Amino acid sequence: MAAKVYTIPPSANFAQALARGLIAQAGDAPLALADTTIYLPTRRAQRSFGDAFARELGGAALLPRFRALGDADEDELLFEAEALELPPAIAPMRRTLLLATLVRRWHAARHDDQMGFAQAAALADGLAGVMDEVETQGASLAALDAVVPGALAAHWDQVRGFLKILETTWPAVLEPEGCISPPARRNLALYALAAQLQRVPPRGPVIAAGSTGSIPATAALLKVIAELPNGAVVLPGLDRELDAASWDGLDPGHPQFGMKQLLGRLGVAREAVADWDGARGGTRERLLREALRPAPTTDAWRALADAAEEPAIADGVRGLSLIEAADPTEEADVIALVLREALETPGTTATLVTPDRALARRVAAALRRWEVEVDDSAGRPLAHTPPGTFLCLLAEAADAGFAPVPLLALLKHPLCTLGGAAAAFREQARELDKTLRGPKPNPGLEGIRAALLRQRAQADEARRERLSVLQYWFAEVAAALKPLETAFETRETRLADIVATHLAVAETLAGTELWRAETGEAAALFVAELQEAANDVAMEPNSYAALLRKLMLAKPVRLARSAHPRVAILGPLEARLQSFDTVVLGGLNEGSWPRSPGADPWFSRPMRAALGLEQPERAIGQAAHDFAMLSAGPRVVLTRAQKAEGVPAVASRWVQRLIQLTNGLGLKTALVPSQDYIVLAQGERDAGPPARIKMPRPTPPVEARPVRLPVTDIEKWVRDPYAIYARRVLRLRVLDPLEAQIGPLEKGNAVHLALERFVQAFPGELPPDAALQLCTIADAVFAAEGTPKAALALWRPRFTRAAEWFVELERARRGEIAASHTERHGEMAVTPDFALYGIADRIDLLTDGRAAILDYKTGQLPTTKQIESFLAPQLPLEAAMLAAGAFDGVAARDVRELLYVQISGGRKPGDIKPVEIGLIGEALEKLKKRIADFARPTTAYEPRLHPKEARISGDYDHLARVREWSISGWEAPAE
């Protein structure tokens, strides 16, 4: 019997046209439609087609039976295999874990090292994709044996050997599971249904509508349906008008290539395909046919300008427009405006169709400005939901040995409460954050506990009490986390055991809140699937966190929200066979839509040909068919961003074709939208010219200003008064970064302490091995400070060179030194209302009755100009304090020497910079003048008056908003 094949043009509402035709065929028979069976590509299509029939019938009626066949891009088996006894399909997660185990075994048999399970799981996904493609196309990997090794590069020969896992080992692993792969099950179901329809044809009509037959098994079923006495196949958007030369030369990237391929499998000539219910294509199809015609026949465009059909092209452009935004953000704003405008007309429907999920999320966020709630139909990954994020953070913290950064990220998660009040738990988490600032503690929970003990021992009484509370709190947290830490200390264990421990600890920390609401239910279903899939799978614990996040990212969560009924965001697959009044096709750039085929890591082109697989360009042809179908609506807006991630983007090949065709026909403005949406979007974002802020000049009340400062802060007071205001008036303390690297500050403190202990240990004549003794003291200091080995490897050789230089300096000076005092605290009243205090690194009492003050520097020494201009006044002010007898245990003395001693250990191991004694009185007078100035309520604490380097930010520059008021090109005053 001749096959009955029809087509509905892209510009027609497919579901509505199909419903009208079937209703017309049924006539007045009330049960005719109820006896009709309609096979559709997906379950999503079932819902929209049911609505279309209900609308055409005008209310309650007996509808046809809808069945979903499933399509090549579906993630799950959508065909309902009724009355067919088929083995179940293996769960995707179980398949990934089993394949990862096989990959590790294969790698271990050929290499000395062990491949990580997370890496093996990534390869397993690739293998699963290969398996799906091969089984979907009905091919066999055994055909690879026929490929001559000499015809392949060495790499492909190795890949061929690797793919033997699927051909030889995988069936033996799959057999005990009692399952088959999803594509194999789908193929068996489709072939079984085809055989059943042939054997026992149904009484009522059987229609296969909307399928492109890209799967051979689906094409075989369509052939059977088309040949049934009461069967028919209705194709979506077959181009019956394309000239024969173009039709014969179609390449896999053309939108009609799949249709031609299907007709060949059905054994039907294109001329034998009829229009369904008289539906004929219009001028939009004519435009798209010409724009997307095969490259070898584009010379036909030359004749269009003189042809009588040119008005048809111009008419086809009506309702079609192109918007090229500057970047993805602007593109999202423009799309949101188009969709919002469409909703102004009652009853109008609108949709954004894009494969770019980032663009979809941006548009959804932009629509919320007008309280238009619309969900991205692709959902969001489970790893990005609160329960998924919490579970991933817990696993990653354990994998990192509960280092401060991942541990605090976990403890600050809203679900982490340890069964108590969330506010109290978060308060302690913030206290722990402040306590752990600075160098990274030792690994593990014990390292955190030891850091808290050390901090408590060094704290004052008030802080010691807070740290005691923190210690008790962290003890409870550590007890909850300890089982997971123990589990991660093993070299290899059962995945099921890690999952069980992970979930037990998660429930201890989060309680039942972890599994509440829709996202919690999705997380519960995921972990149940993971527990079932993890049976008898072994892995190393340090791969668990990466594996968990990977699996969660692949699990979409779709929330049931009260989304707007007339607007939607869809992917190209979901938008198939659906109709909207306004369609926005977004993200039309090469690499996004269509996606680049990329390099195939598994098959070369000869290998694909040997297996009978489609070439990579076939996916572009499928995307082109989606584009052509969606572009034929009454109002279509094409959008793209001219830049993506800061790099110029190339317009989609289909957009380029449309631009070339319309420009060549003198229709340059035809694709310009009626509204300038870019200007509208820019105007909506534009808040007007920014108000240029002025430099902050805070003038706190005199009584709030500091009345005593450390001598080291005087330089900061001169260079950056705002920093003194923030630190001493607002009492804002600069926090060290978490897990800070040991740097110059720690090195300077250690060197100061080592020199102090050396001078105290050898107050008189130095021993012959004084340099060695100094190095021994430094080693003890470095060890007590917990200096990492990496830093010590750099510091110790330099300190050894500096120690030899310093000892020689000491030998030369010891004859004039009667006694040395180190780290002496002092305080002096500069005026009746202001005191200066500080700690002198070293005060040498000389034999002539005077003194020398030494200041150790491991960094750069101040210049003479800086000292003279009061930009580095520390040593002169310390001399004034000594002259006034301000230092503990040191009588007032005149100062003979002021020395900066640089300890570098570089090419020049050390240096001495003397300071003029005559600057002492001058520095004290300048300090008194500054005190008097800031005692006036009108004197402001201005930021960055004399910074050392303009390019180096100060601790409080962000608070002073320096980058905003100095954006025009601020330069530091000359010193």
Side-chain angles (χ1 to χ4, degrees):
M1 182 175 292
K4 295 175 287 299
V5 182
Y6 302 87
T7 185
I8 295 177
S11 59
N13 184 318
F14 192 95
Q16 188 179 51
L18 182 71
R20 286 176 179 171
L22 285 176
I23 292 170
Q25 291 177 18
D28 297 330
L31 299 180
L33 281 180
D35 287 337
T36 302
T37 302
I38 301 177
Y39 291 99
L40 297 168
T42 66
R43 283 182 179 170
R44 296 183 183 93
Q46 283 182 260
R47 294 189 291 269
S48 61
F49 275 67
D51 294 340
F53 273 87
R55 285 194 301 269
E56 288 298 317
L57 291 169
L62 295 175
L63 300 181
R65 292 187 300 273
F66 297 103
R67 294 289 184 268
L69 294 173
D71 210 342
D73 295 327
E74 288 294 287
D75 297 330
E76 58 183 357
L77 183 64
L78 298 178
F79 169 65
E80 299 174 1
E82 296 178 352
L84 296 177
E85 296 181 0
L86 298 176
I90 188 170
M93 195 180 300
R94 176 66 174 168
R95 180 171 67 165
T96 295
L97 297 179
L98 290 177
L99 283 173
T101 303
L102 290 183
V103 169
R104 294 184 79 197
R105 290 178 190 167
W106 180 88
H107 183 272
R110 290 159 177 79
H111 303 83
D112 295 333
D113 60 322
Q114 178 70 281
M115 177 183 287
F117 198 91
Q119 182 184 359
L123 289 173
D125 281 345
L127 278 177
V130 169
M131 185 190 311
D132 288 347
E133 183 179 9
V134 169
E135 292 183 344
T136 295
Q137 296 299 323
S140 172
L141 289 174
L144 284 178
D145 295 333
V147 181
V148 181
L152 300 176
H155 162 71
W156 294 117
D157 201 39
Q158 293 173 6
V159 169
R160 182 171 63 172
F162 182 67
L163 291 176
K164 285 293 183 182
I165 294 176
L166 298 181
E167 184 184 355
T168 59
T169 313
W170 176 245
V173 173
L174 195 58
E175 185 177 359
E177 300 287 322
C179 300
I180 57 178
S181 66
R185 188 176 191 277
R186 178 184 54 203
N187 288 347
L188 288 174
L190 291 172
Y191 284 126
L193 177 60
Q196 180 181 346
L197 291 176
Q198 273 186 319
R199 186 172 58 253
V200 186
R203 282 185 314 171
V206 179
I207 309 294
S211 177
T212 58
S214 57
I215 301 173
T218 304
L221 175 61
L222 296 182
K223 180 176 175 61
V224 169
I225 293 175
E227 294 175 351
L228 290 175
N230 53 355
V233 172
V234 183
L235 301 179
L238 172 67
D239 189 349
R240 298 173 60 243
E241 305 297 328
L242 186 64
D243 60 273
S246 297
W247 179 263
D248 294 338
L250 290 180
D251 62 84
H254 192 274
Q256 291 296 309
F257 182 84
M259 293 287 100
K260 178 183 178 183
Q261 199 174 45
L262 177 58
L263 290 179
R265 289 170 175 169
L266 297 179
V268 176
R270 183 173 56 143
E271 295 75 15
V273 178
D275 293 319
W276 175 263
D277 195 36
R280 299 298 301 270
T283 54
R284 180 64 58 77
E285 281 88 351
R286 169 67 172 160
L287 168 69
L288 294 171
R289 180 185 307 121
E290 291 299 333
L292 303 180
R293 67 163 48 249
T297 63
T298 50
D299 57 343
W301 290 355
R302 297 177 180 176
L304 287 178
D306 300 325
E309 291 179 321
E310 183 194 348
I313 300 292
D315 189 57
V317 181
R318 292 192 183 93
L320 180 67
S321 57
L322 171 65
I323 300 175
E324 296 184 285
D327 52 53
T329 300
E330 185 174 82
E331 182 183 9
D333 289 341
V334 164
I335 293 172
L337 279 172
V338 173
L339 297 178
R340 181 65 184 85
E341 179 192 44
L343 296 180
E344 288 296 309
T345 303
T348 298
T349 58
T351 184
L352 163 66
V353 182
T354 179
D356 187 343
R357 300 330 318 154
L359 177 62
R361 288 192 293 270
R362 285 191 178 104
V363 173
L367 285 170
R368 292 191 191 104
R369 290 177 297 183
W370 300 293
E371 298 182 354
V372 176
E373 186 68 37
V374 54
D375 288 335
D376 181 0
S377 61
R380 57 173 170 162
L382 177 60
H384 295 170
T385 65
T389 302
F390 175 76
L391 291 172
C392 287
L393 287 175
L394 177 56
E396 288 162 357
D399 184 46
F402 294 106
V405 170
L407 174 63
L408 289 167
L410 168 68
L411 297 179
K412 292 178 182 179
H413 192 281
L415 288 175
C416 192
T417 61
L418 202 58
F425 189 92
R426 213 71 63 234
E427 182 181 355
Q428 293 301 320
R430 287 192 291 268
E431 187 67 32
L432 181 65
D433 185 330
K434 290 185 287 186
T435 305
L436 294 180
R437 295 280 169 165
K440 185 176 180 179
N442 291 330
L445 297 169
E446 179 59 28
I448 303 291
R449 189 190 68 82
L452 294 180
L453 283 173
R454 188 166 55 250
Q455 288 272 4
R456 185 171 180 271
Q458 299 171 356
D460 56 29
E461 185 175 351
R463 177 152 174 75
R464 190 177 297 118
E465 183 177 348
R466 294 199 304 273
L467 287 175
S468 296
V469 176
L470 180 63
Q471 281 180 286
Y472 284 113
W473 173 83
F474 183 75
E476 295 180 6
V477 172
L481 295 173
K482 187 63 179 177
L484 195 57
E485 182 182 47
T486 303
F488 270 74
E489 289 172 351
T490 59
R491 185 172 182 180
E492 187 163 295
T493 185
R494 294 174 64 246
L495 175 57
D497 294 339
I498 304 178
V499 174
T501 305
H502 180 211
L503 294 179
V505 173
E507 290 179 345
T508 302
L509 292 174
T512 57
E513 288 293 324
L514 182 60
W515 314 117
R516 289 192 177 179
E518 291 176 285
T519 54
E521 292 174 5
L525 291 174
F526 170 84
V527 297
E529 183 182 354
L530 178 58
Q531 285 176 310
E532 184 177 354
N535 183 35
D536 66 27
V537 175
M539 66 176 293
E540 68 282 0
N542 59 9
S543 288
Y544 175 68
L547 175 67
L548 181 71
R549 184 170 287 277
K550 171 189 171 301
L551 295 175
M552 282 192 169
L553 286 171
K555 198 74 172 178
V557 178
R558 298 176 177 90
L559 303 180
R561 294 181 179 175
S562 55
H564 198 286
R566 293 192 287 124
V567 65
I569 297 178
L570 305 171
L573 171 66
E574 299 155 313
R576 290 176 184 172
L577 307 184
Q578 298 198 49
S579 297
F580 296 87
D581 298 310
T582 296
V583 176
V584 180
L585 304 184
L588 284 167
N589 281 331
E590 286 292 306
S592 176
W593 197 7
R595 298 193 184 279
S596 302
D600 189 343
W602 300 105
F603 299 119
S604 64
R605 290 184 178 274
M607 293 167 72
R608 282 187 164 275
L611 290 173
L613 297 178
E614 301 275 8
Q615 293 298 336
E617 290 77 13
R618 180 67 185 92
I620 295 179
Q622 292 174 332
H625 186 264
D626 290 338
F627 173 80
M629 292 288 293
L630 294 165
S631 297
R635 185 196 180 198
V636 179
V637 180
L638 312 177
T639 71
R640 62 174 292 262
Q642 294 176 327
K643 281 190 175 182
E645 298 180 356
V647 178
V650 178
S652 170
R653 61 194 68 189
W654 312 314
V655 172
Q656 294 183 50
R657 286 292 199 90
L658 282 169
I659 293 174
Q660 291 168 359
L661 178 61
T662 53
N663 286 352
L665 295 178
L667 303 172
K668 291 186 177 182
T669 61
L671 293 176
V672 177
S674 57
Q675 291 272 9
D676 194 338
Y677 292 100
I678 291 180
V679 171
L680 291 175
Q682 290 173 345
E684 188 182 30
R685 291 196 311 269
D686 187 8
R692 181 70 179 278
I693 71 167
K694 297 181 180 180
M695 176 194 294
R697 292 181 172 84
T699 54
V702 173
E703 58 271 18
R705 303 188 180 203
V707 295
R708 59 191 299 269
L709 284 176
V711 68
T712 52
D713 269 9
I714 302 304
E715 177 179 346
K716 189 175 294 183
W717 197 14
V718 174
R719 291 185 178 276
D720 191 2
Y722 190 91
I724 298 298
Y725 164 74
R727 178 70 180 91
R728 304 294 172 179
V729 178
L730 300 181
R731 303 186 185 281
L732 300 176
R733 183 168 60 91
V734 177
L735 289 178
D736 293 328
L738 288 166
E739 300 183 21
Q741 298 294 322
I742 299 293
L745 177 61
E746 290 75 22
K747 177 183 177 183
N749 291 338
V751 169
H752 275 67
L753 184 56
L755 296 178
E756 174 191 353
R757 291 182 179 177
F758 176 77
V759 172
Q760 291 174 349
F762 303 100
E765 186 177 351
L766 296 178
D769 61 345
L772 179 60
Q773 295 289 343
L774 177 54
C775 290
T776 302
I777 292 172
D779 288 341
V781 171
F782 290 145
E785 295 292 326
T787 306
K789 293 181 179 179
L792 198 58
L794 296 175
W795 292 359
R796 199 182 186 288
R798 298 176 69 91
F799 186 82
T800 301
R801 291 193 293 271
E804 294 174 354
W805 174 86
F806 181 77
V807 166
E808 292 302 317
L809 173 67
E810 285 293 290
R811 291 189 195 279
R813 297 184 69 252
R814 284 297 171 96
E816 295 184 295
I817 299 176
S820 294
H821 301 278
T822 57
E823 299 296 319
R824 288 303 171 99
H825 178 271
E827 184 163 349
M828 175 183 73
V830 181
T831 68
D833 300 320
F834 192 93
L836 184 68
Y837 67 94
I839 297 177
D841 287 349
R842 178 174 168 183
I843 300 173
D844 288 341
L845 305 183
L846 306 179
T847 55
D848 64 359
R850 291 180 292 176
I853 300 179
L854 284 71
D855 189 67
Y856 300 130
K857 296 288 186 185
T858 54
Q860 190 176 3
L861 296 178
T863 65
T864 302
K865 187 176 180 181
Q866 290 170 342
I867 299 171
E868 292 174 349
S869 59
F870 200 60
L871 290 174
Q874 180 179 344
L875 274 184
L877 291 178
E878 287 182 0
M881 293 173 67
L882 179 60
F887 287 104
D888 298 340
V890 182
R893 291 205 180 197
D894 290 336
V895 177
R896 192 184 83 184
E897 288 182 315
L898 294 176
L899 300 176
Y900 281 109
V901 180
Q902 185 183 43
I903 308 294
S904 65
R907 291 183 179 179
K908 188 176 183 180
D911 194 12
I912 292 181
K913 186 177 189 63
V915 177
E916 283 188 37
I917 301 300
L919 294 175
I920 298 174
E922 184 180 341
L924 189 59
E925 289 303 316
K926 288 182 177 179
L927 176 59
K928 290 178 179 179
K929 182 179 183 305
R930 194 157 195 82
I931 293 170
D933 288 343
F934 279 85
R936 292 192 293 270
T938 56
T939 303
Y941 287 84
E942 298 179 350
R944 294 180 68 92
L945 292 182
H946 302 281
K948 284 187 177 180
E949 294 186 53
R951 62 184 178 84
I952 298 179
S953 298
D955 291 334
Y956 300 96
D957 282 1
H958 60 295
L959 185 65
R961 299 169 69 175
V962 170
R963 291 183 179 274
E964 297 182 50
W965 52 261
S966 64
I967 197 169
S968 62
W970 177 85
E971 295 181 358
E975 294 182 352

